[in-house]
Amino acid sequence: MSRAMAAENALDRTSRAYRYYRNAVERHWDPAEIDLSVDRERIGELDAATFDDLRRTLALFGAGEEAVTEDLAPLAVVLEGIEDQLYVTTQLYEEAKHTDFFDRYWREMILPATDDRGLERSSPTDERWFFPAYYELFDRNEAAMARLLESDAAEDLARAYSHYHLTIEGILAQTGYYAVQMNYCGETPGLPSLPGLVDAFTRIRSDEGRHVGFGMAKLKALVRTESVDIDLIHGTVNDLLPLTQEVARTAAASDEDAGLDEDDLTAYAAEKRLDRMAQLTDANADVSGVEEPVAPE
């Protein structure tokens, strides 16, 4: 045991990491308790192309959450502060919880709706839902995180946070949350309200706000105190940008006019990238992660 338990070494309850930890505890939610009763009826209102779009969206999110759950483990190994460790345990738990929700929605909503339509059942892991840019983006994230087990130098940490927290969660995932919440809120012409799905995405988005905020704060600290060149972060994000744009564009592709289109989502992803980079270069910028006020008080 490396940490002495003297009074002066007690938890720093004013630290950002500890406050994010407490924020996660206080905002706990259970995927099994999301009410999906209305969704089960409304999914039947989707036309064939839009139902297929929804299945693809859920498959992409489910696989993404599963991947980041696995990929986060190296960060838990190299973080040293107990407050950081407390926080990262909540992120691991939340990524697993998100994976659980997407599996539940597929089993309880998508599979029965597939049967109702007389279609062949499909697994959310079927190759049909995925494409090269998606695989490459998550493979790069996995490699950046795994690299930490070989070297946790400041530059390697910066690359890891830039892949995971800034790009995957802070740009790509936020774009996807925005699309689903907008499309199925009940105010988009041609699409029904799916309140259970929107409720879950709202909760997931709040969780991810903490994750993005933590990673962004770490990046700002690496630039400020560890002399990491901001150009390293810019270069990493810019290198991943074509992949994030391709994933957003492909995920939005549809034969129907309902909902947000490719241009809407690629523009939103580009805006999120600019926002994140501005937060890094502005010493006074908020790094809460999303538009909701999830930053610790």
Side-chain angles (χ1 to χ4, degrees):
M1 183 175 182
S2 60
R3 180 174 178 270
M5 298 304 290
E8 62 269 27
N9 290 329
L11 291 174
D12 179 2
R13 294 175 180 265
T14 66
S15 70
R16 177 181 290 271
Y18 180 82
R19 288 179 289 145
Y20 274 135
Y21 157 75
R22 283 302 311 169
N23 188 278
V25 171
E26 293 161 8
R27 290 176 179 240
H28 171 78
W29 59 281
D30 184 349
E33 294 180 354
I34 299 292
D35 183 2
L36 302 179
S37 58
V38 175
D39 293 43
R40 179 67 184 89
E41 299 176 5
R42 300 272 177 81
I43 283 180
E45 300 175 16
L46 298 174
D47 60 45
T50 307
F51 179 64
D52 221 38
D53 290 343
L54 178 61
R55 288 197 292 174
R56 178 177 55 197
T57 295
L58 293 171
L60 293 173
F61 264 108
E65 292 289 357
E66 183 177 343
V68 296
T69 301
E70 298 170 348
D71 296 344
L72 186 62
L75 186 62
V77 173
V78 301
L79 286 176
E80 295 182 353
I82 184 61
E83 295 81 13
D84 283 350
Q85 289 287 346
L86 287 173
Y87 162 74
V88 82
T89 59
T90 67
Q91 184 172 345
L92 279 164
Y93 170 60
E94 287 167 351
E95 304 291 14
K97 188 165 60 175
H98 303 166
T99 302
D100 184 16
F101 171 76
F102 286 112
D103 179 77
R104 180 194 171 204
Y105 204 90
W106 195 276
R107 290 173 184 272
E108 297 183 17
M109 300 293 108
I110 298 301
L111 291 182
T114 302
D115 294 341
D116 292 346
R117 293 167 183 264
L119 301 174
E120 181 179 355
R121 285 193 169 198
S122 172
S123 165
T125 60
D126 282 353
E127 292 290 330
R128 63 176 292 191
W129 307 120
F130 306 99
F131 43 92
Y134 184 90
Y135 286 124
E136 184 175 351
L137 181 60
F138 281 91
D139 284 348
R140 290 194 191 185
N141 183 65
E142 180 183 13
M145 298 303 290
R147 170 67 179 166
L148 295 178
L149 298 178
E150 301 174 11
S151 169
D152 62 349
E155 290 78 7
D156 293 306
L157 282 166
R159 291 187 183 93
Y161 287 124
S162 294
H163 278 77
Y164 192 118
H165 295 82
L166 202 167
T167 301
I168 298 290
E169 295 199 318
I171 300 173
L172 181 63
Q174 292 301 321
T175 302
Y177 302 143
Y178 167 74
V180 170
Q181 289 176 305
M182 291 295 292
N183 284 345
Y184 296 105
C185 66
E187 299 179 3
T188 300
L191 293 176
S193 169
L194 297 178
L197 186 63
V198 170
D199 181 22
F201 266 68
T202 300
R203 295 170 187 269
I204 292 170
R205 193 177 188 185
S206 179
D207 291 345
E208 300 289 359
R210 284 188 297 277
H211 306 170
V212 175
F214 178 81
M216 292 287 289
K218 288 295 187 183
L219 282 170
K220 292 188 78 164
L222 286 168
V223 171
R224 185 178 65 254
T225 65
E226 300 291 339
S227 299
V228 169
D229 192 334
I230 190 69
D231 288 341
L232 182 150
I233 300 171
H234 278 284
T236 301
V237 175
N238 288 341
D239 189 44
L240 296 172
L241 181 61
L243 296 175
T244 59
Q245 294 281 36
E246 179 64 21
V247 172
R249 182 164 50 249
T250 304
S254 174
D255 295 330
E256 300 297 316
D257 293 331
L260 301 177
D261 61 21
E262 297 177 42
D263 291 340
D264 293 328
L265 292 192
T266 53
Y268 188 86
E271 178 186 347
K272 289 296 100 180
R273 171 183 166 275
L274 292 175
D275 288 346
R276 302 306 177 208
M277 300 317 297
Q279 289 169 350
L280 286 176
T281 55
D282 183 348
N284 297 316
D286 175 43
V287 293
S288 59
V290 293
E291 290 76 7
E292 295 181 351
V294 298
E297 298 296 333

